[in-house]
Amino acid sequence: MQGKKFSIVTHSRLAFTIRLRLGWRFAGFLTISTMKKQPTIKTFVGAVLFALLSQSSLLAQDAHVSLWNFDSGDLSATAGSDLEYIEDTGDLAVFGTTEALGIPAIGGEVANVLQLPKLGPAQGLKAPLPEDSNGEGDLVNNWTAIMDLYYPPASSGKKRALIDIVTAEWLANAGDAEFYVSAANAVGTAGLDFGNVTPGEWHRIAIVVNIENLWGKVYIDGQEVGTLNAPEGSLDGRWSLDTAFENMVTFFIDDNNESEEVFVNSIQLRFESLNSGQILALGGAAAAGVPKKLPPVPSFVEQWTPSGKYAKADTALSVVLNPGDTAISNTSISLSLNGEAVATDISNENGIITVKASGAAALAKGVKYELALTYTDSAAGEQTQSRKFEVPVYFEDFDSVELGPNVDEFVENELAWTRTGPEGWTVDNAGVPGNSEDHVGYLPDDDDDGFPDNDGVSEWAGWSFADYNWWVQVAGDQSRSQFSLARNVVAVADPDEWDDKAHADGAANGWYKTFMTTPQIDVSGIAAGTLFANFHSSWRPEFDGNYHQEGYILASYDGADPVEILTWVSDGGSPNYHDHNQNEVVTLPLDNPAGSKKLQLTFGMREAGNDWWWAIDNLVINAGAVPPIITTQPSGIEVSEGEAISLSVVAGGGEPFSYQWYKDGVAIDGATGAEYAVGQAAVTDAGAYSVKITNEGGEITSGNAIVGVQASLGITIWSEDFEGLTLGPNVDEGLVGEQVWTKTAPEGWVINDEEVPGTWAWQGIDDEEGYPDNDGVTEWAGWSFANAKWWSQTAGDQRRSEFKKAIGAAAIADGDEWDDQPREGGNMFTFMTTGDISIDGIMENSLVFRFHSSWRPEVVQTATIEATFDDGDAIEILRWESEGGDAEFYHDHNVNETVNISINNPAGAKSVKLTFAYLDAGNNWWWAVDNLILAGEPEPIFAENFDSLELGPWESSSESGGDGTD
């Protein structure tokens, strides 16, 4: 079902108290949407923006400091109020020295630390906030949090909550943590993450928020690793600390059990936004903890121009220098470019020094540069800091376009978007239904807004150029904010947003087609075959019965017919399928012929409807050493314990390459080739493997290859793969198939759908259609058996096709699809029970049940498996829950998993039945299973432990005698 979105905007200053258990928070507004199968709550957290800091604007709030160093072996404060346990966390907390707890010292010194295990959603620490230390209002908009932390190696590859902010918008129960360490061992928020928090090492993490100036920054060990942007209207919003409502901030707590064991040496909370120099002065983790009084700040560079890797030939070179707590004489300052002195103009405002290159820049294309600043400060003496960049053959970041006001979108912004690209760029949107008089249903511009009246949402009726943050905001995010490589203005083709307003019929006019073309780019004199394109991309595809979203790039040299050099399609079965990647660096060889003088590129989207989007930024055309390209990604593998693991990657680009393999984000010692192998795999070798490839032109990291290592099973007693079922035709689903689905279980099995609203026991139904009329989508009204590929296609995929371990038919319970047609009210409770499985002669406590599973949870669906021995009482052997509750039972999204369950079968048991239950599900997601195996160890034919022997007294036979005690 492709639904229309609607939005309600509520500003955070209103007296609103809402808690929605969906793991989302909101930045100053609330957006409620329906689309892509179920109503969802959307949030906006923008991506990356650099904001120039000045010392005069840092202390917007009173500089209150809370500090906890744990030197007393409890939660008492070094400064401010004591920390408090949430619920029973105190029963789990352990205090001790790094030495006593068996972890590394900090900088060679033993430290007193707090050890916390993996916590549940009602466990963690909370820090009371002072009510009168924040300036005007109830919320602290400018603050800094600093934490000295150690995560054990076993935490790698898992998300770990750091800070959860509780404001008047949200009830006291914790939701998704605002800041966390990601599964990739980076610090992040809402899908954006930065830097590397290496498990097994101490780190000082600093998070600085300045909502008054709409930015946040992340630092690791004194170094800035990422910048976050807050949208207009974010004051008193998501990242603000509330000193009135709950009057606290919480640590290491998350509603989805995203917590792992952590050792904490120090936590500090300051009501001020520290600058980069102050964080630099604090450095890395220290045994003494974070000092309350800031150390002297060294001089530091606040901003380089150019700030990134690339520059244009006319870029004006400059450096902004902050003296910190030192003094710098203007006469000591000099600037050089590739070792040659550059004439400068130097200015000083509020203590901040700006050094600009005099006159117009004359940078050459295709040349790499190093801009160096040399100066002398009163503390450290002569200092030299430098920044490397290059001037490519062509560079476009779209920031030069002139943006105008919104038209159809609901968020007002005078600098929101434009369809007019940079100089020389052209956009063709005639193929978007409603934009041409040739389209059926075309309506002229009667409302005088400058666009046809039946063109959908005008801003997205074809390629557009938009303020990145505004685009994310109006679209309700939906993972657009993951495009952290984007800066300022981006080029966007977004048929998902376009379809949110009435438009001419796509079926009659052909689906959404649009393309944009660069100017003619001068490539004369460049050696054949050395040109390449590099750009940042956010691609989210969708594929169903109506839409077939495709992205493509054409290249034309010297006016010749264009050649398609890149094709991305949304059909998972196509060799050109390109999976979701909302934040990607794309490198594309351009294969320039000898003697070429002009190059023109075309970026297009075609065959789209209510799909997702493609956005690009920072397009670079360059020549020389082509950065590495992964032509064959490493593939995941599943092996049994003791078998070999072999992973490989194939790279293209400029040789030679260097390689470094990682397991769960941690570098593997000695794994520096194109292949990585383990001769005999242990269960501990399971994990997510990736490889970083580097050459002279740059670096690229592969996707994760998931390696599963299954513990050895005993003898297979029973198996079921559902391939013996006779599948029949579709009933309610729109995708026609003759052998796609059945409700008839394998022989001996029983399906119980008595608690599925709108239906009843399936035996004996004899009406015109064979099924009730108010049972929702009949195929999914309870447990069913279906061709797994057909299932994923009928449902618009939504990650169902990732169940690669399913072969042919699978057993499926899908509340999401079931809810797509009218039905009786209430949630689904459906049960599927095997026949009796003989376990006669199997040793007690030796059963292992293995199966393949695709589980995508949403509140409040639950999955259970029960085992019943010899018609006795059922014993629950698996429980997966989709929200908070007991951390033991929450099971996160895993759409392609092998599950192993050890079963304590009683001695002498003759048979067992297994019951799969999908409980309390409505418009949630699904659970599907396939390839079931039950294994165990047979009773030994003969056994003797000699316990029945009668033993006599022990007598010494030693020649030297003895009393029998030695």
Side-chain angles (χ1 to χ4, degrees):
M1 179 180 67
Q2 301 289 340
K4 287 290 182 181
K5 295 199 300 290
F6 63 92
S7 300
I8 300 173
V9 180
T10 304
H11 290 283
S12 61
R13 292 184 181 275
L14 297 180
F16 231 67
T17 303
I18 290 179
R19 179 60 168 174
L20 296 167
R21 297 294 304 243
L22 293 177
W24 292 97
R25 293 293 182 88
F26 308 89
F29 58 87
L30 172 68
T31 303
I32 301 176
S33 306
T34 63
M35 70 176 309
K36 311 298 182 193
K37 295 291 178 187
Q38 76 286 335
T40 54
I41 303 295
K42 313 297 179 184
T43 185
F44 168 74
V45 173
V48 182
L49 173 71
F50 184 90
L52 179 63
L53 308 181
S54 67
Q55 289 176 318
S56 62
S57 65
L58 291 174
L59 304 181
Q61 308 286 350
D62 294 339
H64 167 81
V65 178
S66 292
L67 176 63
W68 304 274
N69 281 337
F70 311 114
D71 289 333
S72 300
D74 55 26
L75 297 186
S76 59
T78 308
S81 301
D82 293 347
L83 280 174
E84 299 175 15
Y85 294 116
I86 300 174
E87 304 248 340
D88 63 348
T89 308
D91 297 336
L92 307 173
V94 176
F95 294 90
T97 65
T98 50
E99 184 177 42
L101 294 172
I103 59 173
I106 308 176
E109 298 183 38
V110 174
N112 296 305
V113 300
L114 164 63
Q115 178 187 17
L116 293 173
K118 179 179 177 67
L119 301 174
Q123 296 168 329
L125 305 179
K126 61 181 177 180
L129 301 176
E131 296 185 14
D132 56 354
S133 299
N134 59 296
E136 297 180 4
D138 291 332
L139 291 117
V140 182
N141 287 302
N142 298 347
W143 54 272
T144 301
I146 308 168
M147 314 170 82
D148 285 359
L149 304 176
Y150 173 91
Y151 282 104
S155 70
S156 185
K158 302 171 184 175
K159 191 173 178 181
R160 289 143 278 175
L162 291 176
I163 301 175
D164 186 52
I165 299 170
V166 183
T167 74
E169 292 284 322
W170 319 109
L171 303 182
N173 292 332
D176 208 41
E178 265 70 36
F179 296 94
Y180 52 82
V181 176
S182 72
N185 300 318
V187 178
T189 180
L192 307 177
D193 51 30
F194 309 96
N196 185 43
V197 180
T198 306
E201 297 180 10
W202 281 98
H203 291 284
R204 177 165 288 173
I205 298 171
I207 297 166
V208 182
V209 171
N210 189 318
I211 300 178
E212 291 183 356
N213 290 321
L214 302 178
W215 56 262
K217 290 179 179 290
V218 177
Y219 300 83
I220 299 175
D221 298 330
Q223 301 299 314
E224 181 183 330
V225 294
T227 305
L228 308 165
N229 178 52
E232 295 287 346
S234 291
L235 283 174
D236 298 351
R238 171 180 182 171
W239 292 342
S240 303
L241 306 182
D242 197 325
T243 62
F245 173 61
E246 287 295 331
N247 191 33
M248 66 177 180
V249 63
T250 60
F251 302 106
F252 314 116
I253 184 170
D254 180 87
D255 66 340
N256 289 335
N257 304 288
E258 290 170 337
S259 164
E260 295 297 326
E261 182 184 28
V262 63
F263 295 81
V264 190
N265 176 57
S266 184
I267 302 175
Q268 185 178 108
L269 188 64
R270 309 181 73 96
F271 284 6
E272 58 181 317
S273 303
L274 298 185
N275 66 22
S276 297
Q278 292 167 320
I279 299 295
L280 179 65
L282 287 170
V290 184
K292 180 180 179 183
K293 182 179 179 180
L294 295 174
V297 177
S299 56
F300 64 99
V301 171
E302 284 193 351
Q303 183 171 349
W304 293 91
T305 303
S307 60
K309 181 179 179 180
Y310 299 106
K312 295 183 178 180
D314 59 354
T315 298
L317 307 177
S318 67
V319 186
V320 177
L321 178 62
N322 190 318
D325 291 325
T326 74
I328 298 175
S329 169
N330 285 6
T331 59
S332 72
I333 299 172
S334 63
L335 203 62
S336 64
L337 187 65
N338 285 359
E340 298 292 329
V342 175
T344 58
D345 296 322
I346 301 174
S347 61
N348 190 312
E349 183 176 355
N350 296 323
I352 306 300
I353 302 168
T354 301
V355 183
K356 294 183 177 179
S358 302
L363 303 174
K365 292 183 179 180
V367 176
K368 296 182 179 179
Y369 291 97
E370 183 173 11
L371 180 64
L373 174 72
T374 301
Y375 63 92
T376 301
D377 70 34
S378 58
E382 184 173 283
Q383 302 286 299
T384 298
Q385 301 191 49
S386 62
R387 167 62 60 91
K388 293 181 179 180
F389 67 94
E390 59 184 293
V391 179
V393 174
Y394 180 78
F395 175 56
E396 183 54 69
D397 59 9
F398 309 114
D399 292 350
S400 65
V401 302
E402 295 185 9
L403 303 180
N406 57 298
V407 178
D408 289 334
E409 286 288 13
F410 70 97
V411 177
E412 293 186 4
N413 190 331
E414 291 301 311
L415 300 174
W417 80 291
T418 182
R419 186 146 291 125
T420 303
E423 183 178 358
W425 285 66
T426 60
V427 172
D428 190 322
N429 65 343
V432 177
N435 278 272
S436 168
E437 294 183 15
D438 296 333
H439 293 162
V440 176
Y442 168 84
L443 295 175
D445 182 21
D446 289 339
D447 60 6
D448 294 325
D449 66 355
F451 303 94
D453 292 341
N454 203 22
D455 66 338
V457 178
S458 293
E459 286 90 335
W460 317 113
W463 280 101
S464 302
F465 306 91
D467 177 85
Y468 168 69
N469 299 319
W470 179 79
W471 170 54
V472 174
Q473 183 179 3
V474 298
D477 195 341
Q478 298 173 314
S479 78
R480 291 169 175 87
S481 65
Q482 293 181 23
F483 193 14
S484 61
L485 294 166
R487 299 290 190 277
N488 304 322
V489 179
V490 295
V492 182
D494 192 335
D496 169 54
E497 276 299 290
W498 163 75
D499 190 63
D500 282 356
K501 187 178 176 183
H503 56 77
D505 184 10
N509 298 296
W511 300 112
Y512 184 104
K513 299 180 181 69
T514 181
F515 58 89
M516 64 178 179
T517 304
T518 70
Q520 295 280 349
I521 299 168
D522 184 7
V523 296
S524 56
I526 294 176
T530 63
L531 269 182
F532 62 91
N534 185 278
F535 62 93
H536 296 152
S537 168
S538 180
W539 165 259
R540 190 174 181 189
E542 187 175 29
F543 179 84
D544 61 20
N546 290 324
Y547 316 121
H548 305 81
Q549 168 185 339
E550 298 182 2
Y552 64 93
I553 299 177
L554 308 175
S556 172
Y557 286 97
D558 299 324
D561 290 340
V563 176
E564 193 159 310
I565 59 173
L566 177 143
T567 305
W568 288 349
V569 304
S570 55
D571 179 0
S574 168
N576 291 321
Y577 173 71
H578 192 65
D579 203 355
H580 297 237
N581 198 325
Q582 289 92 320
N583 196 48
E584 181 178 13
V585 178
V586 180
T587 301
L588 187 64
L590 296 177
D591 195 25
N592 55 306
S596 299
K597 294 181 172 53
K598 298 290 183 181
L599 164 67
Q600 192 167 44
L601 296 180
T602 297
F603 295 79
M605 181 179 282
R606 61 195 175 208
E607 306 307 324
N610 186 14
D611 298 311
W612 288 113
W613 68 81
W614 190 18
I616 67 169
D617 200 6
N618 306 314
L619 171 65
V620 176
I621 309 297
N622 217 341
V626 179
I629 305 163
I630 297 179
T631 57
T632 303
Q633 291 275 353
S635 298
I637 187 173
E638 186 170 280
V639 300
S640 296
E641 189 175 13
E643 293 181 344
I645 297 172
S646 180
L647 302 173
S648 64
V649 66
V650 179
E655 295 183 343
F657 302 115
S658 61
Y659 303 85
Q660 176 60 63
W661 287 87
Y662 295 80
K663 177 180 178 286
D664 295 328
V666 178
I668 304 171
D669 289 342
T672 55
E675 298 181 353
Y676 174 71
V678 176
Q680 291 184 314
V683 173
T684 54
D685 289 316
Y689 288 78
S690 61
V691 58
K692 180 187 290 185
I693 306 170
T694 306
N695 71 357
E696 181 184 349
E699 64 181 34
I700 190 171
T701 299
S702 73
N704 282 332
I706 305 301
V707 172
V709 181
Q710 302 303 325
S712 299
L713 296 177
I715 296 173
T716 297
I717 302 166
W718 168 89
S719 65
E720 179 59 69
D721 60 8
F722 309 115
E723 296 310 295
L725 298 179
T726 301
L727 304 182
N730 58 301
V731 178
D732 287 338
E733 282 289 14
L735 186 61
V736 175
E738 291 301 316
Q739 296 178 342
V740 294
W741 170 85
T742 186
K743 199 72 182 179
T744 303
E747 184 177 357
W749 289 48
V750 175
I751 291 178
N752 180 351
D753 290 330
E754 292 178 0
E755 296 182 69
V756 177
T759 187
W760 55 82
W762 290 91
Q763 292 79 10
I765 298 175
D766 189 21
D767 63 11
E768 182 178 347
E769 295 182 353
Y771 305 101
D773 292 333
N774 201 26
D775 64 340
V777 177
T778 292
E779 286 89 335
W780 317 115
W783 279 105
S784 301
F785 307 92
N787 178 280
K789 185 174 182 180
W790 176 81
W791 167 56
S792 68
Q793 292 173 342
T794 63
D797 200 338
Q798 299 175 314
R799 301 191 66 190
R800 291 169 175 87
S801 66
E802 294 179 40
F803 191 14
K804 305 293 187 184
K805 294 177 180 179
I807 306 298
I812 299 165
D814 191 333
D816 172 52
E817 275 298 287
W818 168 63
D819 190 64
D820 279 358
Q821 284 197 18
R823 62 175 178 83
E824 288 186 6
N827 282 354
M828 173 195 306
F829 294 75
T830 181
F831 305 86
M832 176 176 66
T833 303
T834 70
D836 286 322
I837 304 167
S838 175
I839 57 171
D840 190 15
I842 299 300
M843 188 174 4
E844 77 175 300
N845 299 330
S846 73
L847 284 181
V848 176
F849 180 42
R850 175 178 292 175
F851 63 95
H852 293 148
S853 168
S854 181
W855 164 258
R856 193 171 181 193
E858 188 178 27
V859 178
V860 289
Q861 75 185 46
T862 297
T864 66
I865 302 177
E866 292 181 340
T868 304
F869 295 96
D870 296 334
D871 296 322
D873 294 333
I875 302 169
E876 187 172 273
I877 60 173
L878 176 143
R879 173 174 288 269
W880 289 345
E881 295 180 351
S882 56
E883 70 165 332
D886 193 327
E888 179 184 354
F889 296 127
Y890 174 75
H891 194 64
D892 204 354
H893 297 244
N894 198 324
V895 294
N896 194 44
E897 180 179 14
T898 299
V899 180
N900 293 276
I901 306 172
S902 296
I903 304 176
N904 295 325
N905 52 302
K910 304 298 184 184
S911 68
V912 64
K913 290 188 293 189
L914 301 173
T915 298
F916 298 76
Y918 181 64
L919 308 173
D920 209 13
N923 187 13
N924 302 120
W925 287 113
W926 68 79
W927 188 26
V929 299
D930 199 4
N931 307 316
L932 286 54
I933 297 175
L934 188 66
E937 297 291 344
E939 291 278 7
I941 298 174
F942 172 79
E944 177 58 73
N945 60 12
F946 305 109
D947 289 346
S948 62
L949 296 179
E950 294 185 9
L951 304 180
W954 182 85
E955 296 181 3
S956 173
S957 61
S958 169
E959 293 181 1
S960 62
D963 59 7
T965 60
D966 294 327

